[in-house]
Amino acid sequence: MVDYTPTEMMTVSASRALKNDDVCFVGIGMPSAACNLARLTHAPELTLIYESGTIGTKPDVLPLSIGDGELCETAVNTVPVPEMFRYWLQGGKISVGFLGAAQLDKYGNINTTVIGDYDNPKVRLPGGGGAPEIATSCGEVFLVMKQTKRGFVEKIDFITSLGHGTGGNDRASYGVDTKGPSRLITDLCIMEPHPVGKQFIVTSIHPGVTREDIIANTGWTVEFADEIAQTPVPDANELQILRDLHARTAKAHEGQQ
Amino acid sequence: MVDYTPTEMMTVSASRALKNDDVCFVGIGMPSAACNLARLTHAPELTLIYESGTIGTKPDVLPLSIGDGELCETAVNTVPVPEMFRYWLQGGKISVGFLGAAQLDKYGNINTTVIGDYDNPKVRLPGGGGAPEIATSCGEVFLVMKQTKRGFVEKIDFITSLGHGTGGNDRASYGVDTKGPSRLITDLCIMEPHPVGKQFIVTSIHPGVTREDIIANTGWTVEFADEIAQTPVPDANELQILRDLHARTAKAHEGQQ
Amino acid sequence: MVARFMSLKDAVSSCIKDGDTVSMEGFTHLIPHAAGHEVIRQGIKDLTLIRMTPDMIYDQLIGAGCAKKLVFSWGGNPGVGSLHRLREAIQDGWPHKLEIEEHSHAAMANAYDAGAAGLPCAVFKGYRGAELPRVNKNIKFIECPFTGERLAAVPAIRPDVTVVHAQKANKKGDVLFEGIVGVQKEAVLAAKKSIITVEEIVDNFDDVPYNAVMLPNWAVTAIVEVPGGAHPSYAQGYYKRDNAFYKAWDTIAKDRDSFSAWINEHVMNGGPEDFAAKRDANKG
Amino acid sequence: MVARFMSLKDAVSSCIKDGDTVSMEGFTHLIPHAAGHEVIRQGIKDLTLIRMTPDMIYDQLIGAGCAKKLVFSWGGNPGVGSLHRLREAIQDGWPHKLEIEEHSHAAMANAYDAGAAGLPCAVFKGYRGAELPRVNKNIKFIECPFTGERLAAVPAIRPDVTVVHAQKANKKGDVLFEGIVGVQKEAVLAAKKSIITVEEIVDNFDDVPYNAVMLPNWAVTAIVEVPGGAHPSYAQGYYKRDNAFYKAWDTIAKDRDSFSAWINEHVMNGGPEDFAAKRDANKG
């Protein structure tokens, strides 16, 4: 068996959630690595869309920003940003939105705005960017995020982007008819929303991780499914491709002056 | 002195209304001939825009439709039709709209929709096309039309496009802050709106035309300005260029099968 | 679902059914004439036809009895005159009564844009002082919540099927439009299904500029190669508009019998393969 | 009025004055860094800065004390982390308090679109279940007059001045954008005045495709040739994004003194001519 890090486990698990015929709106950072890994392994026809307007991009290295030149050079087409948000995202053309978060609650509501009070923040975060509408306009949303008590909280400080709201049918009460967060992939486990209550429940645990590890790193009361799978470990091919991707990326981003 | 037809007189007079730095939204037919004549004579930098999305076009022959290939091939840029109507026309970027009409009243309100009742029309005309918004979004509107009692009527059967409404400040009451019809060029004369009442008054009469001719061909009570100019006749150069343009056009449109 | 390459017959029969709302767009350029003929040949009925500039092909569909309703903003033969079949359908109810919903170009361009953008309606500065709002209940007015300005609103256009013609598809099924692109991209994105006829299918789009007007294969339903399929409209880079035929149409369509004879000879007894010769004849 | 070719110094001093609302756009690509530096050098104050993705150049303008207010939707150093000058201005009021108006990308993209389109507001399916409407009074909701659907509305963006960078102008002053074109065209069309810095001025655009992303000369106020003027952002076809410098900025900007020293050396004692060397260094 190959050695891997928890982050690699998370990235590989996240990549496996994507299907070959998905059209995926890619958030920067962890989502970008997972989406490109999927494209380079089991989902070669996966369509990746970045909010900079690049449609069907196939970057050889991970972009540092959402608008690096590689994204455009390898895309099927590059459109203006208003068109991206109007025709493609709001127009309902995207099957999956892949997002990260600074703070998350058990209903998959996302905070990337502020820690503390909005008007007198303890930490001012970058803000919502594309996420508020990615979260509501994509067919479903996958979340990927390292699991910590600070990040996985009972109540987020600011609802930047809607998940399942207060649970149950609350999401629909905003006139939103998309599925919302359907999977949360962390470095410890995979969670999926309860079919009725919509709170996240642990459905798969990564090898070597205990239930206590998950509880210790979660700010809400963790629920476990009746039957819990063990997440399949990354295979050698996935790890090799992921590591090569990161190596190419590091080289490309340091190589300039 | 060179011989010319009343239509040539009208086209040349209309062309002279355009300035070199105008950006002109061109209606098909008579306006197109006048606008291209202006471009080929005194206003070489005149920007012509057709609703098909062609910006800054310089066709060598008059287009039969508003979307002939020459318009695109000779344009600075060709944009999608929604962009044309949204960013360029509604966005207030066009200084002059050049329109024709089937029926016109003395306030420059235009009918190109129906003769008779809308639901049981005597004659169904093509409809408004771009005109309703050209009439309100362009800085000012020039009208060009052969003068007849059937066309120049006291009350038009349908207000396809707003002129000065019921006169005075009526146009502004619709939230419209553009100038509206500022000149009406016919085969007999030139009319301009009264500064206060906004009804058209004859300000220039073409050579060889009498006041009686104008009155006989107008369905409303004609008003004449205190001082009336005689419209300068087409010069030899204008006529030559206009005739060459028509000859090239006829050849191009018949040459295909 | 990725676009499928099909015959024109299969594309039309699998995508369009009686009673559908269909948009065949093309702003003078790239009008899908071959596809329109196929709809007539298949005898599809009760269509609600949408188009900014219904011209010859809609005149043919209406005269052939395919249409129940027309949504439009300018119905004429550009530079020539009236559409006699459209006019007779409205004025005399031949071959049967035609319901109309009439807009301005700005309204329809905005309504296609709104349809592509997934909005229920388009909001724009339109119809100010114009009379169409009196006769079209699908024109309403709202107030800007910030300035109080009165703005026109029309429902978004969401066709069941959009049919357009483009210059090229590549082997993956991505589609390229060049020149006067009209509202074609919006019309496809606004529709549930789409049929794209193209002049040719090429291996790849490696030489296509970054910001070309395109549709990726997963945004399109069916692709059909029909060389010359826009004739007597044109395809920039392939053949010119057959202006002489647009003029000739005025005579053909003026009379019911000559119209029916033309449809019989050129449509009912014709096929998409006839268009290639027309393309060659208009290359110059 | 047709665009005028000017020096960067004259373009900034003639177009931008204290208290103006200014948009310097660029979605990672084509960010007008040279022009931003000129604004700092001229000591222009009390600006309301608008931008979807304020990054390094707005961090510099804010840290240098040019800004009174920021309208934005994502304020970070992409892939690197926080903008320290922006963060300190918000959290600690240094060099002075910064007012913020915060939106989502979709809201701002729609607001630029509405500004270009001459509308008072943008209407879109946005902010559903999100909390920004609680803290931003410029987010309201209206109802679709046909379906009753609740839609978000934000005021159109109408800057006094928009500043963008493009690849090329021709000698007539028409401007060409290629690659990731962001909201630049909309931002220029929405503004009262515009400054466009370009990589080069070419004789003509004869080889430019029909449907390129362009601005005709009469839609632009001032054009300035500044080779490398987007560095450390990039110009597709000319030089790459200097990702290493974006990472280095994190260290430079973290500390007030090192920030001020950098501004002094590279901005106050620099000029637009310095950018050509940076372009050459990032060609690879």
Side-chain angles (χ1 to χ4, degrees), chain D residues 7-47:
Chain D
S7 71
L8 185 56
K9 190 175 169 186
D10 290 347
V12 168
S13 67
S14 66
C15 291
I16 309 179
K17 56 184 198 303
D18 287 357
D20 272 355
T21 295
V22 176
S23 165
M24 298 187 194
E25 271 295 347
F27 209 86
T28 305
H29 184 213
L30 294 174
I31 298 168
H33 274 268
H37 286 186
E38 185 64 34
V39 170
I40 295 174
R41 257 193 309 277
Q42 296 194 12
I44 300 175
K45 297 279 176 240
D46 293 326
L47 298 177

Side-chain angles (χ1 to χ4, degrees), chain A residues 21-80:
Chain A
D21 62 353
D22 271 328
V23 176
C24 179
F25 209 104
V26 187
I28 206 64
M30 198 70 70
S32 184
C35 293
N36 280 289
L37 178 60
R39 186 177 60 76
L40 294 169
T41 54
H42 67 284
E45 296 303 318
L46 173 66
T47 296
L48 300 185
I49 290 184
Y50 287 75
E51 62 195 13
S52 53
T54 51
I55 295 177
T57 182
K58 297 171 162 56
D60 189 50
V61 303
L62 294 176
L64 184 65
S65 76
I66 38 61
D68 282 20
E70 287 88 356
L71 294 176
C72 171
E73 286 158 19
T74 62
V76 171
N77 193 214
T78 299
V79 301

Side-chain angles (χ1 to χ4, degrees), chain D residues 13-184:
Chain D
S13 67
S14 66
C15 291
I16 309 179
K17 56 184 198 303
D18 287 357
D20 272 355
T21 295
V22 176
S23 165
M24 298 187 194
E25 271 295 347
F27 209 86
T28 305
H29 184 213
L30 294 174
I31 298 168
H33 274 268
H37 286 186
E38 185 64 34
V39 170
I40 295 174
R41 257 193 309 277
Q42 296 194 12
I44 300 175
K45 297 279 176 240
D46 293 326
L47 298 177
T48 292
L49 292 176
I50 303 180
R51 177 137 173 241
M52 293 181 66
T53 52
D55 56 11
M56 189 191 297
I57 188 62
Y58 272 30
D59 210 33
Q60 293 172 358
L61 285 154
I62 291 164
C66 301
K68 178 181 67 181
K69 180 179 174 180
L70 176 68
V71 182
F72 76 110
S73 43
W74 194 87
N77 185 345
V80 178
S82 291
L83 294 172
H84 300 292
R85 296 299 102 220
L86 167 59
R87 200 156 152 168
E88 253 202 290
I90 295 177
Q91 293 177 200
D92 308 323
W94 190 89
H96 50 70
K97 213 171 151 37
L98 182 73
E99 193 185 337
I100 62 167
E101 176 179 331
E102 185 170 3
H103 287 281
S104 68
H105 277 353
M108 289 195 72
N110 274 286
Y112 274 118
D113 172 88
L119 291 168
C121 64
V123 172
F124 66 110
K125 286 164 84 159
Y127 291 127
R128 293 177 294 180
E131 198 169 341
L132 272 181
R134 180 179 67 78
V135 296
N136 181 345
K137 67 179 175 8
N138 272 339
I139 301 168
K140 297 192 178 187
F141 292 88
I142 65 164
E143 268 188 17
C144 169
F146 301 98
T147 64
E149 186 174 345
R150 190 168 178 261
L151 299 166
V154 292
I157 294 174
R158 311 294 292 266
D160 294 311
V161 191
T162 284
V163 183
V164 297
H165 188 75
Q167 276 98 340
K168 289 176 193 172
N170 65 17
K171 288 197 167 164
K172 290 185 169 181
D174 305 316
V175 176
L176 174 70
F177 301 88
E178 286 183 309
I180 292 177
V181 294
V183 293
Q184 280 93 312

Side-chain angles (χ1 to χ4, degrees), chain B residues 7 10-11 14 26-35 98 100 144-146 185:
Chain B
T7 300
M10 170 167 67
T11 305
V26 186
I28 205 65
M30 199 70 71
S32 185
C35 292
F98 221 125
V144 59
M145 186 173 163
K146 283 195 189 182
I185 300 111

Side-chain angles (χ1 to χ4, degrees), chain A residues 106-214:
Chain A
K106 68 179 169 183
Y107 295 113
N109 300 300
I110 293 173
N111 175 19
T112 53
T113 305
V114 286
I115 304 297
D117 179 59
Y118 184 81
D119 291 314
N120 292 291
K122 251 184 280 183
V123 183
R124 173 66 230 194
L125 301 166
E133 284 76 20
I134 293 173
T136 53
S137 289
C138 293
E140 62 187 313
V141 174
F142 297 159
L143 298 170
V144 58
M145 185 173 164
K146 284 195 189 183
Q147 202 157 346
T148 65
K149 250 199 156 88
R150 278 179 59 193
F152 286 54
V153 298
E154 184 63 36
K155 190 174 162 25
I156 59 179
D157 291 353
F158 194 88
I159 304 173
T160 307
S161 306
L162 179 68
H164 295 289
T166 57
N169 292 323
D170 188 51
R171 182 175 168 88
S173 75
Y174 298 99
V176 179
D177 56 7
T178 51
K179 218 168 152 187
S182 58
R183 202 170 302 205
L184 165 59
I185 301 111
T186 82
D187 51 343
L188 304 179
C189 65
I190 296 172
M191 302 192 208
E192 293 173 79
H194 185 279
V196 178
K198 303 293 185 187
Q199 74 281 15
F200 277 127
I201 55 177
V202 178
T203 54
S204 183
I205 299 180
H206 301 341
V209 175
T210 66
R211 293 188 176 215
E212 289 65 38
D213 292 335
I214 296 171

